[in-house]
Amino acid sequence: MADLEPCHEAEFDGVVHLLSEEQMDRLDKMEMSYQRIIVPIIDYQNQTHAVYAYQMTLTNVPDNLPSERYLDIIVKGCEHYGVRSEYINRLRQEQPVVPRKEPHMYQSITDVPSDVFYTLDELAKHNGADPKYPLRICINGKILEHIGLPPSDDPDYETQKRFHAIIQSRFVGREADFEIAKGLYEPLHKLPLSEEDLSDEHRAMLEDNCLSMLSRSGQSNIYWKPVGRLHRSNNNTNSSS
């Protein structure tokens, strides 16, 4: 997760987008672990502006290098919008990154019951609308059920509550692969326009990223358990081993 913080005499290049209030509201909902702040900037014509930027609200998040994927996205965006080449070259040549995982290193959800299957209609009942159906999400054909939040006096409660709200608002009661892929663009794979655009390797990468996200948030198998697999209408299941 990226963040923004003051650093004396440091600078970085970026792109300012003009958005409507409706678009900003949508962006606020997407960036649920961030708050909008106003920062001063100077453009290439040496004009000053006050613009919005997002700053992380989570605390005690360890500092990490950006991933190779994340830097690729930044570089592609800089190239597309005409950011000065000196800055792009600096990113490419000087910014250390965490290398991409090779596909054989991807994590996979384990202990999934091999003989339990659910249809999309059955999965849809677990979208949070009816409290008698616990929340469920489907990742790469594997269905996870939310066990519940910790007690309200638990030190981890507020963090888990925020993360739970993100999951519930965007991913529960359906296959999450396509939705995750739209927000987790990977330049090595084309941007999917539908579920059919996701290759097996792309889905495996999304599963790995989902497990990493759950682990970073302290969720992992503490708050989610595998309960079965997705049964498709063509009698095929979408899962990896």
Side-chain angles (χ1 to χ4, degrees):
M1 300 176 74
D3 200 6
L4 179 70
E5 60 183 32
C7 184
H8 184 60
E9 294 187 351
E11 65 176 20
F12 71 92
D13 291 29
V15 179
V16 176
H17 298 274
L18 181 62
L19 302 178
S20 67
E21 281 297 325
E22 179 185 358
Q23 290 170 322
M24 288 303 302
D25 287 342
R26 289 172 58 190
L27 195 56
D28 287 344
K29 290 182 174 65
M30 292 175 61
E31 303 290 358
M32 293 184 67
S33 297
Y34 293 81
Q35 63 181 351
R36 248 198 277 171
I37 62 172
I38 297 176
V39 296
I41 62 107
I42 302 174
D43 65 23
Y44 287 168
Q45 288 72 46
N46 209 34
Q47 300 295 309
T48 59
H49 307 270
V51 303
Y52 285 123
Y54 283 93
Q55 187 174 52
M56 190 184 297
T57 57
L58 300 178
T59 58
N60 300 320
V61 177
D63 290 336
N64 290 305
L65 293 174
S67 67
E68 184 179 0
R69 164 195 156 269
Y70 192 77
L71 189 67
D72 277 357
I73 294 172
I74 292 175
V75 168
K76 286 181 179 295
C78 288
E79 291 174 334
H80 179 79
Y81 286 104
V83 171
R84 60 192 176 102
S85 58
E86 296 89 344
Y87 182 72
I88 295 175
N89 291 336
R90 195 173 90 198
L91 288 177
R92 284 177 168 152
Q93 298 167 11
E94 300 179 16
Q95 176 60 56
V97 297
V98 177
R100 282 185 175 90
K101 283 185 180 180
E102 295 293 330
H104 70 275
M105 296 294 292
Y106 290 159
Q107 302 174 85
S108 179
I109 299 168
T110 58
D111 300 324
V112 183
S114 60
D115 57 350
V116 179
F117 296 91
Y118 298 92
T119 65
L120 283 171
D121 287 341
E122 290 171 325
L123 178 63
K125 296 177 182 178
H126 297 263
N127 64 359
D130 189 335
K132 74 179 181 181
Y133 293 104
L135 298 184
R136 288 181 178 176
I137 59 174
C138 180
I139 306 292
N140 198 13
K142 302 168 185 178
I143 298 174
L144 300 177
E145 181 175 289
H146 191 248
I147 299 172
L149 291 170
S152 58
D153 59 350
D154 189 294
D156 201 31
Y157 176 76
E158 288 300 327
T159 298
Q160 297 306 327
K161 183 180 178 182
R162 286 195 296 268
F163 188 82
H164 177 272
I166 296 172
I167 296 293
Q168 184 170 2
S169 66
R170 299 181 62 186
F171 304 121
V172 297
R174 57 177 170 157
E175 290 185 271
D177 303 34
F178 178 54
E179 190 67 26
I180 295 174
K182 289 192 296 182
L184 193 71
Y185 172 53
E186 168 53 81
L188 293 183
H189 301 282
K190 68 177 183 179
L191 188 65
L193 300 178
S194 68
E195 287 279 352
E196 289 69 32
D197 288 337
L198 294 171
S199 66
D200 289 344
E201 184 176 307
H202 196 173
R203 289 180 186 274
M205 184 212 78
L206 296 172
E207 181 180 354
D208 174 79
N209 272 275
C210 182
L211 287 174
S212 296
M213 178 179 64
L214 292 176
S215 177
R216 286 195 302 269
S217 68
Q219 297 255 326
S220 192
N221 59 357
I222 299 175
Y223 300 110
W224 295 90
K225 65 177 181 180
V227 295
R229 298 173 186 266
L230 183 65
H231 180 82
R232 297 184 181 278
S233 58
N234 61 2
N235 295 322
N236 291 326
T237 57
N238 171 30
S239 64
S240 59
S241 58

